[in-house]
Amino acid sequence: MRKLLKFLTGRLFWSTILIVAQVALLSYLIYSQAGSDYTVERVFLGISLIMTMVVISRDENPAYKIGWILIFMLFPLYGGFYYILFGNKKFTGKVSRKLDAFLRGYRRGVRNVHAPDATPMQQLEAKDPALSRKAKYISAISGFPLCQRTRVTYYPLGNDWYPEMVATLEGAKRFILMEFFILDPGEVWDTVLDILVRKVREGVDVRLMYDDVGTIKFVPNHYERQLRAKGLKVVAFNPLKPHLNSRMNSRDHRKVLVVDGNVGYTGGVNLADEYVNRRILYGHWKDTAVRLEGEAVGNLTLMFFQLWGYATGEELDFAPFMPTECQESDGFVQPFGDNPLDNNNVAENSYLSIIGVAKKYVWITTPYLALDNEMITALKIAAQSGVDVRIIVPHIPDKWYVFAVTRSYYRQLMASGVRIYEYTPGFIHAKAIVSDGNVAIIGTINMDYRTFYLNFENGVAFYYCSIVTNVEADVRRTMELSHQVGMEEVRSTSTLRRLGRFLLRLFSPLM
């Protein structure tokens, strides 16, 4: 009862009610005007027709276009206005220009402070030309260079990551940079917050950025003010506004932690108890994280300031925050970010390039599966070419409708030879791809439209690192705990359920 009361009085509930009410009012006004005047009705239909042509002509994913065309067909009077309000996936107007300007300045800062060393790229090219092209693509589009002189550590569970992350925070001397999608009061966040407050008193510069919508269900209104009162520098990214606004759809899904410039963490874990199995919601929670020490931490630092500068307007000299220590090289390491402002889908294209050059195997773990045609084609071609393609998804879902969409892809992927596994102990939130024993990516990248087209995301590409072997072994162990889905199971699904999954899949690009 207490949870229900909290939900009904929360900002998310009332913001949703207000937005739905605005959509309903707009729809009523359009309907009433069109019903009373045939000329007005033709104007509204004309707007929908124009928006249909706009959608078709745009450089967008075909599945996204189909979703909107269905909206136009189902709601010919209102569809055009719906697209104007919600169809633009990117930040618009003044906000977009401001963020674009900061990103350009940020990339200049990267060149000045973290000047790319050509040596790692040349060495990778000599070792593996195909993987070097992928690294060059990431560097050219996102601005993040390929690094060496970095020690890497892999955590196969959030349970393993948590105590080391806490110990690193305890040892902070100069600054702490934190960027997370979710903060949820409990053992994990309360412990971290206590350390952050104590570190502020010791003179450590603590900066925290969290996603407003990602955290909105768990913390009180204006939570950032409470944290600032404790001495922390805090930003709630892209605050939810209870009015019709398409930019609310782009969220900061990144997870970045940097301490004193020399140690950095990223992965799938958020600052909430379920991620380290202190609270059981969907069975055992399987997640992963990585620790970087040395040169590559600079990429995570710059990634943090990429959005911090936009959100705060603060112009900083990056130099004092850059690494001061280097470690013995463990292969090639490339932390990178992806953002929804351009049509360069760095995260998805990085996955596609790994799948495209794979010779022996490609193994993927993801909590969600909502694939566009490019990804489906790449996976099918790889499997049909004799590459061992395997995907592990949850068996106990956190969102029933996303799980229904996930299962809608089983038949066509399995028919081409892709093997699908469901993590039987519970929910797998780990986001990873590993291939051929020489390349892996760990980060926040889900295999869905939201990650590939809407959110700010990040990952770390590892080439010829020891961590690649660790990821491969972990995925193998995870498969042993999972159930391999058989084609007979897929065929036995009822027609009604298949239809429901198909309908959800049609509209999944718009979610």
Side-chain angles (χ1 to χ4, degrees), residues 288-505:
T288 55
V290 294
R291 171 184 168 118
L292 308 179
E293 299 169 73
E295 182 180 75
V297 180
N299 285 23
L300 293 179
T301 299
L302 293 167
M303 196 181 304
F304 173 86
F305 283 118
Q306 185 183 56
L307 291 189
W308 179 270
Y310 156 73
T312 64
E314 183 179 7
E315 296 185 6
L316 288 168
D317 177 9
F318 297 150
F321 298 92
M322 299 305 291
T324 58
E325 302 173 2
C326 290
Q327 304 293 335
E328 184 177 350
S329 290
D330 182 2
F332 305 89
V333 184
Q334 191 174 27
F336 65 93
D338 192 10
N339 75 79
L341 289 180
D342 53 35
N343 290 319
N344 296 305
N345 303 318
V346 178
E348 181 181 27
N349 291 339
S350 297
Y351 270 46
L352 288 170
S353 65
I354 290 175
I355 296 166
V357 301
K359 295 180 176 63
K360 298 177 181 177
Y361 74 87
V362 175
W363 295 347
I364 297 169
T365 65
T366 178
Y368 313 119
L369 207 61
L371 307 177
D372 59 18
N373 188 66
E374 290 82 352
M375 185 61 71
I376 294 171
T377 301
L379 291 168
K380 289 169 64 175
I381 289 175
Q384 290 167 340
S385 301
V387 176
D388 179 8
V389 181
R390 307 186 191 190
I391 303 174
I392 308 177
V393 297
H395 181 70
I396 302 176
D398 65 336
K399 302 177 181 69
W400 68 267
Y401 51 92
V402 180
F403 192 48
V405 172
T406 293
R407 285 183 158 176
S408 74
Y409 290 91
Y410 287 4
R411 180 187 287 266
Q412 67 183 123
L413 291 175
M414 291 169 59
S416 300
V418 177
R419 290 194 252 183
I420 306 291
Y421 294 78
E422 291 186 355
Y423 181 63
T424 310
F427 184 71
I428 184 166
H429 191 255
K431 305 104 172 9
I433 181 171
V434 61
S435 176
D436 289 355
N438 55 29
V439 61
I441 295 178
I442 303 293
T444 69
I445 301 166
N446 295 321
M447 297 279 284
D448 63 9
Y449 289 95
R450 175 155 290 280
T451 282
F452 291 150
Y453 296 98
L454 295 176
N455 287 343
F456 293 84
E457 304 282 357
N458 75 282
V460 185
F462 299 95
Y463 316 91
Y464 293 96
C465 290
S466 62
I467 200 173
V468 176
T469 303
N470 296 335
V471 175
E472 177 187 333
D474 181 39
V475 175
R476 190 183 298 277
R477 286 192 300 269
T478 304
M479 283 189 287
E480 292 173 357
L481 296 172
S482 303
H483 165 67
Q484 183 176 354
V485 180
M487 187 59 82
E488 285 304 315
E489 293 177 60
V490 175
R491 293 195 183 106
S492 65
T493 305
S494 69
T495 302
L496 185 61
R497 180 163 291 182
R498 285 203 302 268
L499 177 60
R501 291 174 182 175
F502 173 73
L503 291 174
L504 286 171
R505 177 170 162 175

Side-chain angles (χ1 to χ4, degrees), residues 8 125 132 200 206 224 341 402 404 442 485 511:
L8 293 177
E125 186 171 14
S132 74
V200 167
V206 177
E224 72 277 12
L341 289 180
V402 180
I442 303 293
V485 180
M511 295 179 182

